[in-house]
Each structure stands twice: as C-alpha cells, then as structure tokens.
Amino acid sequence: MAFLSATLDRVKPSPTIAVTNKARELKAAGRDVIGLGAGEPDFDTHQHIKDAAIAAINAGQTKYTAVDGIPELKQAICAKFKRDNGLDYTPAQVSVGTGGKQILYNALMATLNPGDEVVIPAPYWVSYPDMVKLAGGEPVVAAATLENAFKLTPEQLEAAITPKTKWLIFNSPSNPTGAGYSREELKALTDVLMRHPHVWVMTDDMYEHLAYDGFEFCTPAEVEPGLFDRTLTCNGVSKAYAMTGWRIGYAAGPEPLIAAMRKIQSQSTSNPCSISQWAAVEALNGPHDFIAANNEAFKRRRDLVIDALSQIDGITCPVPEGAFYVYPSIAGLIGKTTAAGTVITDDEAFATALLEEADVAVVFGAAFGLSPNFRISYATSDEALTEACRRIHDFCAKLR
Ligand SMILES: Cc1ncc(COP(=O)(O)O)c(C=O)c1O
C-alpha cells in the first residue's frame, strides 16, 4: 500500500509471535495443539511482587512518573548491578523502559545513522536485525556453528568488524539456543573488542538468572573493565521473575547515551507503567529464593527434552547452559518425506508439517538466522513436553 512507510519494507513481523498466534488459532478451532513457541515462563508472578503492585495502586502511584524510571527503581537497579555483577553504576546511568525490547530499541534509535553496522551473532533473537533496520542501520550477521555449540569465536567476531561497526549485540544465555558463554569464552571476545575502540557492546542479559549445572553467568563490562565506558548492559524482570506482561526492562551505560535514550522515550511512550515499576522494585529488592525453585523445574524439563531428542535419528542437539530453549539441528532429516507426503526441504517445511501433521508448534531456525534447526521453548509443563516429544518422535519415525 503506497500510503505506508517504506521503512516497513525493510522489516518483517516477529515470527515467534506468528507461530504462537497460529497455534492459538488451531487450538481455538478444536485441535489439540501443544505450543512450544512462546518465550515466556509458565510460572505465575510471585505473590510478594503482586502485593507490591496492589499496594502501589492503593497508595495512588497511578500517575505519570519520570520518563525513564522512578528513583526507587533506579536505586534498586544500581544495587542489583553491584550485587550480581560487581558493576558500579549511578542512577543517572540507568534507563528503565517498557520491557527489554524497548530498551534495546531506544539504544539503537539513539545511536544508528544510515550505513552504521551492527554485528549480530546468529542464531539471534528474532528482533535484533529488524530493530537495527528500523533504526536505519545494517545488521551484519556472524553465524556461529553447531560444532561450536552456537557460540561466536573470536576469529568470527574479528572478521565481522569493519570501520563502520557501531555495536556488537551480545546475548548470553541465548535465545534461541540457550548457549551461555563461560568467562574464558567471553574474555576471548572482549579481547577482540579491546583492539577496536570504535565498537560498543550492547549486552542483552535477559536470561542471566536462568542457568543450570553450576554455569556462572558473566557480562562484558565485568569481564573486561576496559569496556565499561562503551558498554550498554541491558536486562529486565520479564524472564527470571516471570513478569513478561508487566513490561519492565532496564539498562545501564554512559550518561550521554542514557540521556539520548530518554529523549527517544520521552517522544514515544513516556514512562513505563507506574505500577509495574513498583512491582519491579520489589522484584529486585525482595526475596529471590523462588528463582532457584523455578530453575529446578527448568533444568528438569531441559533434560527431559534433550533426552527425548537424542533418541531421534537425524536430530542433534547440544546441551544448553541456560535460558529455556533448545535448538536442535535437523540436518539429518532434510530431503525426507512426511507421512502426508510433504518433502522436508528446509526447517520451515519441517515446522509447518510438524504443526499440521503432529499438532506441535515450534519455531523454524531460519527465523533466528541459522538453519536447518528449530527452537523448542521448554517453559511449559512436564506433561505437555513429554507428550510433545512423543509426537515429534512419531512424526520423525514416519519420515521416508
Ligand atoms: C534475548 C531477549 N531479549 C529481550 C527480550 C525482550 O524482553 P521483554 O519481554 O522484557 O521486552 C526477549 C524476550 O523474548 C529475549 O528473548
């Protein structure tokens, strides 16, 4: 439609949201679909956080707030960075937005000029390349491999950097693979960045607290203090605190960048929801013991899925360190034909046939920039996962 902005030609809608909607539609039409597409915990927000929100409503905290966050939340965020990451930020170096998504978007909008490049390791979270394009920049995808457990090597990072590179977007543990970088692995990447002083790091630490088997989370500014002045450390309450609907994300970084992000937010959405901000204060300052209990369930489900997938011929999957995703390769299934006669030409054909013939909704790998794979979100009940794995097994067993 000629009326619409040409910018829209550069971006596509979120494929993960599309899969979730398709699964929802089929369910509404009476099909017994198991959805493994959604990237959100199935746990409810903890009661003490809900109580803080209710108290905020009753106390009249229902008005506009400062554009990028109330002082109490900025203080709680500074305390969190000190406690968990050993990072010293002041409230003036903190920005709060409507979810991690808005924070990343603000940062890209505030910094990218036409032709600026952003290095994005693949497999990547679906929104990174499109956000970069919306902001007028050029995504430069550096594809990690299954052999390296979906982690970018220093050589790959070095090769992706040009004089036009403005940012590296770094995400560990990762959506969609669950891969988490060890301190040594991350140090090898920050060493490369130290040789390129014009490149900044936008680190998306959204899955920081979701890590298993003793994996120790680390973040670039902590691993390499020399990068502190060119790092935007992004995080949020959505995943660890089961607060996806509350829409609170935050970041800390150099003050001029934070001020620029505030300017964008002031002319778009203004402050994030006042009530959610008070809930986030309680999430960050309050008890954290429920996270360990949630993680026990996530680890059990990860193992359940990995175990089931390892018994399917043609599928390989490394054991991820964190988040709540696995990213199996279906290289061994390409070219086969399903029971209904569909040829598995690529991972999109696989995911479509799996939904249509076996009632299991997953997201195809091309959406995340690395094929042939698919993503399972295991943030759902053990029963649903067991049944979904049985259906995937049966579906694959019938391939010819
Ligand atoms: C890697 C990653 N970053 C950011 C986000 C956005 O989080 P929020 O819901 O807080 O906007 C997500 C959500 O799926 C994610 O997986």
Side-chain angles (χ1 to χ4, degrees), residues 263-310:
K263 198 169 176 185
I264 303 273
Q265 192 160 302
S266 74
Q267 296 295 18
S268 50
T269 60
S270 289
N271 64 273
C273 169
S274 58
I275 300 149
S276 298
Q277 290 190 66
W278 283 101
V281 170
E282 175 61 21
L284 293 176
N285 288 345
H288 278 67
D289 43 347
F290 64 93
I291 293 181
N294 290 358
N295 282 0
E296 240 174 72
F298 282 140
K299 179 189 149 41
R300 187 179 65 242
R301 295 163 176 182
R302 178 200 66 174
D303 293 346
L304 182 164
V305 172
I306 291 282
D307 211 43
L309 292 174
S310 70

Side-chain angles (χ1 to χ4, degrees), residues 127-140:
S127 295
Y128 299 145
D130 289 285
M131 281 187 183
V132 167
K133 288 184 204 162
L134 271 176
E138 300 294 332
V140 174

Side-chain angles (χ1 to χ4, degrees), residues 76-374:
I77 291 164
C78 291
K80 173 260 172 289
F81 278 126
K82 183 74 186 157
R83 176 176 73 231
D84 296 340
N85 313 112
L87 294 173
D88 284 302
Y89 288 113
T90 63
Q93 294 173 308
V94 170
S95 182
V96 184
T98 300
K101 208 169 207 170
Q102 189 187 22
I103 285 291
L104 298 164
Y105 185 74
N106 286 348
L108 293 167
M109 288 297 284
T111 54
L112 294 185
N113 291 310
D116 284 348
E117 295 178 354
V118 177
V119 175
I120 302 175
Y124 46 69
W125 180 47
V126 289
S127 295
Y128 299 145
D130 289 285
M131 281 187 183
V132 167
K133 288 184 204 162
L134 271 176
E138 300 294 332
V140 174
V141 174
T145 60
L146 172 72
E147 292 68 38
N148 203 39
F150 305 120
K151 295 178 201 177
L152 196 70
T153 64
E155 295 74 24
Q156 287 176 310
L157 176 57
E158 185 77 59
I161 291 173
T162 76
K164 292 185 186 163
T165 308
K166 205 146 205 179
W167 290 102
L168 161 69
I169 301 185
F170 179 76
N171 174 220
S172 164
S174 143
N175 177 3
T177 65
Y181 289 68
S182 69
R183 187 167 291 268
E184 294 68 37
E185 287 164 340
L186 180 50
K187 182 73 171 63
L189 296 183
T190 59
D191 284 351
V192 173
L193 295 174
M194 288 307 284
R195 293 197 290 276
H196 298 278
H198 66 294
V199 181
W200 286 49
V201 199
M202 192 178 297
T203 179
D204 180 347
D205 298 347
M206 196 57 82
Y207 294 93
E208 166 176 16
H209 292 297
L210 304 184
Y212 320 114
D213 302 332
F215 173 77
E216 276 186 38
F217 172 85
C218 50
T219 190
E222 169 202 6
V223 168
E224 177 48 81
L227 285 177
F228 185 80
D229 290 338
R230 50 183 167 113
T231 299
L232 185 70
T233 305
C234 306
N235 210 317
V237 296
S238 295
K239 312 289 176 167
Y241 301 92
M243 291 176 68
T244 45
W246 299 76
R247 312 307 303 132
I248 295 291
Y250 56 85
E255 228 178 296
L257 172 59
I258 295 296
M261 290 165 61
R262 179 164 55 240
K263 198 169 176 185
I264 303 273
Q265 192 160 302
S266 74
Q267 296 295 18
S268 50
T269 60
S270 289
N271 64 273
C273 169
S274 58
I275 300 149
S276 298
Q277 290 190 66
W278 283 101
V281 170
E282 175 61 21
L284 293 176
N285 288 345
H288 278 67
D289 43 347
F290 64 93
I291 293 181
N294 290 358
N295 282 0
E296 240 174 72
F298 282 140
K299 179 189 149 41
R300 187 179 65 242
R301 295 163 176 182
R302 178 200 66 174
D303 293 346
L304 182 164
V305 172
I306 291 282
D307 211 43
L309 292 174
S310 70
Q311 290 165 35
I312 302 177
D313 278 346
I315 290 189
T316 37
C317 188
V319 183
E321 288 85 359
F324 38 66
Y325 309 104
V326 293
Y327 199 64
S329 161
I330 54 157
L333 303 179
I334 297 299
K336 299 202 170 195
T337 305
T338 69
T342 303
V343 181
I344 307 287
T345 46
D346 54 22
D347 50 31
E348 185 166 3
F350 174 84
T352 305
L354 189 67
L355 180 56
E356 282 170 3
E357 298 180 34
D359 287 333
V360 177
V362 298
V363 187
F364 56 92
F368 307 101
L370 193 85
S371 293
N373 291 69
F374 66 100

